[in-house]
Every structure is written in C-alpha cells, then in structure tokens.
C-alpha cells in the first residue's frame, strides 16, 4: 500500500481519494476549501495545512485541479518538498503543451510524472470505474497502475509525455460536438411534431446512437438519470466543456471546424450564466428563440 498526497478534493478528487482509502492506501489531502478537506477526513484520510505539507514523505502525489495554471502553481510549491524519486500523477484536463512542460519540470527535480486525465465523470469517480488515459514512460506507468486501479476500471497507456492529454482532448472534442448534434436532433423532432420519446426509442437503436443520446440525453424524459431530468445539475459543467474544447481547438486551429463552432456555443452558454449547469443544457439553446414551453412544461415556467 502506498503513501499518497492528494491535491484538489473537488467533485472528482474527493470520490477518487475516498476510493484510494477504501483500497487501503494512506492518503493525506489538501484543498483550498475547508468543506473539501473535511470530506476526506470523514472518509478516513488526513489533511494538511498546505500542498507542500500534504506531499512531504509521500511516494506518490495525485493532482485533480481545474486548469493547467492551477497544476503549474501547485507543482511549483510541492516539487521542492518531495523526496527524490517521487511519482506525480496529474489527472486534471490541462492540454498537451502544459503537460509536457510539467513532465520536464518534474524530471529536472528527479521525479517521475504522468499525465493521466480521466473520463467517466463524477459517477465514474464515485463508483471507481473511471477510464485513465496515461502519457509517460512505461516504468512510471507500471508504478502507477495499482494505484490507478483503485479509482478506475480501464487504464490505458496512450504513449509518451502528453499522450494522455491528447487522447482526452480528442475524446472531449467528439463529446462536445456530439451533444450539440443530439440536441439539434431533438429540436428538429419537436418542430416536426415527433415526441422526444419516439426519437429516443428509434435513434438509440439506429445509426444516430451515441453516449450523448443514450447516457446523457439532453431533453427531459427518456433517460431518468440524465442531468436534463435534474435541472441540468452536472454531470459535466458547461464551463469545463468550454475549457476542454478551447484546449482542443488551440492544439490544432486548422482541424476542428465543428469544434470552433461548438466552442462558440458553449462560450455563449457560459457567458449567459449557465457555466455551472451540465453541458447538455445546450438542448435549450438548440430549440431556438421562437420555441415555446416544451411538451409537459407549464406555459408559465420559463424555458430553461
Ligand atoms: P472542481 O472545481 O470540483 O474541483 C477542483 C478542486 O481544486 C476544488 O475543490 C478547488 O478548491 C481545488 N483547488 C483549486 N486550486 C487549488 C490549489 N492551489 N490547491 C489545492 N486545491 C485547489 O473540479 P472537478 O470537477 O473535480 O474537475 C477537476 C479536473 O478534472 C478538471 O480539470 C476537469 O476538467 C477534469 N474532469 C472533470 C470531470 C467532471 O465530470 N467533473 C470529468 C473528467 C475530467
């Protein structure tokens, strides 16, 4: 069992750290917010007053932070505090260029680094069924594997430094665009007088089927567990989708044509104050400004 420092105990980090504790690892956590620290303490871990204190004497450090800037700042604090030969695993989504920069910064201090972003969302984090896509050396991957196995079901080495982030950006580019495509399909169905349930029953067993339809159906009704049935509580926040698509577009400006369009749509939603809602709320926008209340929705209820 390993001694692990865990920095960033938010929606994803807290359940991931809890699964490490359940598997018998020793976890010392740090987050900027007191409730996040309290949650890890309640799950049987210990907390520290700073990131540097959390990682002192640990052999493995996991970071789960919002953006590359956050990860860079935390690494600047913790690298000098680590014993030589530590393994750092960053599971945040931060893009390829920053990940490669951090691989080099860790190596310069005598530590191994893996970029290991995840797919599976908060439900996968809680269930320990995340997919880890990992970039780094085969040796570091072999060291990390038993620890990642406590938090995920599918653990794939995508290649060398930055390859995990590359895989994550490609996946989320597909996801962000496919959610808009599904939302437009339902908007068209409504205009044509086809019920959402009929479209779902047919498309989910036809060539239009995809994860955005079958697991996160963006209109209320067909998939009970989907955020669309829970006031679009995330799930995966629109602001995070905007970040990921922006990273994908920045990585190769000439390729993602639909990605640029999708980025503009998620930016509009975020600027309209919907950044904290699940990204499937794009279904409300797809209906167009002329759309009245959805079937089953009170005419007095604002179109959400
Ligand atoms: P979150 O905002 O819920 O959690 C981030 C945590 O980091 C917060 O608790 C915050 O207080 C903490 N933090 C920020 N700066 C810190 C610092 N300097 N020191 C210590 N703690 C600090 O975000 P999340 O949903 O857990 O996502 C984390 C990462 O995982 C993001 O990069 C996101 O894109 C990625 N991701 C999220 C999901 C999802 O469904 N939420 C799915 C896959 C990947």
């Amino acid at each position: 069992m390993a001694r692990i420092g865990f920095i960033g105990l938010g929606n994803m980090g807290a359940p991931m750290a809890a699964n490490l504790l359940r598997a018998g690892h020793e976890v010392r956590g740090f987050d900027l917010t007191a409730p996040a620290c309290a949650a890890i303490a309640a799950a049987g871990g210990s907390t520290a007053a700073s990131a540097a204190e959390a990682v002192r004497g640990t052999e493995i450090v996991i970071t789960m932070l919002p953006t590359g800037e956050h990860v860079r700042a935390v690494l600047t604090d913790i690298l000098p505090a680590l014993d030589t030969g530590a393994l750092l695993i960053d599971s945040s989504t931060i893009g390829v260029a920053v990940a490669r920069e951090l691989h080099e910064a860790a190596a310069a201090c005598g530590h191994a680094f893996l970029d290991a972003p995840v797919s599976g969302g908060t439900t996968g984090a809680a269930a320990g069924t995340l997919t880890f896509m990992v970039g780094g050396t085969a040796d570091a991957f072999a060291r990390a594997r038993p620890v990642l196995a406590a938090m995920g079901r599918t653990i794939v080495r995508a290649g060398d430094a930055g390859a995990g982030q590359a895989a994550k950006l490609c996946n989320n580019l597909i996801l962000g665009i496919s959610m808009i495509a599904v939302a437009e399909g339902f908007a068209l169905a409504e205009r044509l007088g086809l019920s959402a349930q009929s479209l779902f029953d047919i498309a989910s067993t036809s060539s239009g089927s995809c994860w955005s339809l079958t697991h996160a159906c963006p209109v209320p009704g067909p998939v009970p567990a989907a955020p669309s049935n829970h006031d679009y509580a995330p799930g995966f926040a629109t602001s995070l989708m905007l970040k990921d698509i922006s990273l994908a577009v920045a990585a190769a400006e000439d390729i993602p044509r639909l990605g640029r369009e999708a980025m503009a749509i998620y930016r509009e939603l975020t600027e309209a104050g919907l950044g904290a809602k699940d990204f499937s709320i794009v279904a409300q926008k797809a209906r167009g400004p002329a759309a009245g209340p959805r079937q089953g929705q009170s005419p007095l209820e604002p179109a959400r």
Side-chain angles (χ1 to χ4, degrees), residues 6-16 30-33 36 50-51 63-71 73-74 77 90-94 117-123 130 168 172 234-237 240-241 243-244 278:
F6 205 117
I7 316 295
L9 301 163
N11 290 329
M12 295 292 288
M16 290 165 71
F30 175 70
D31 193 286
L32 293 179
T33 74
S50 68
T63 43
M64 194 53 170
L65 296 160
T67 69
E69 285 69 42
H70 294 92
V71 183
V74 165
D77 282 351
D90 177 50
S91 285
S92 329
T93 305
I94 62 171
V118 298
S119 173
T122 47
T123 46
L130 292 170
K168 175 69 182 170
N172 277 23
F236 187 52
L240 290 179
M241 177 51 85
K243 176 196 64 162
D244 291 3
D278 187 77

Side-chain angles (χ1 to χ4, degrees), residues 185-224:
F186 278 103
L188 179 62
E190 189 180 8
R191 290 280 173 93
L192 300 179
L194 178 68
S195 77
Q197 189 64 51
S198 288
L199 174 61
F200 179 84
D201 291 343
I202 293 162
S204 62
T205 54
S206 301
S207 46
S209 187
C210 63
W211 187 93
S212 294
L213 175 69
T214 57
H215 286 69
C217 182
V219 301
V223 177

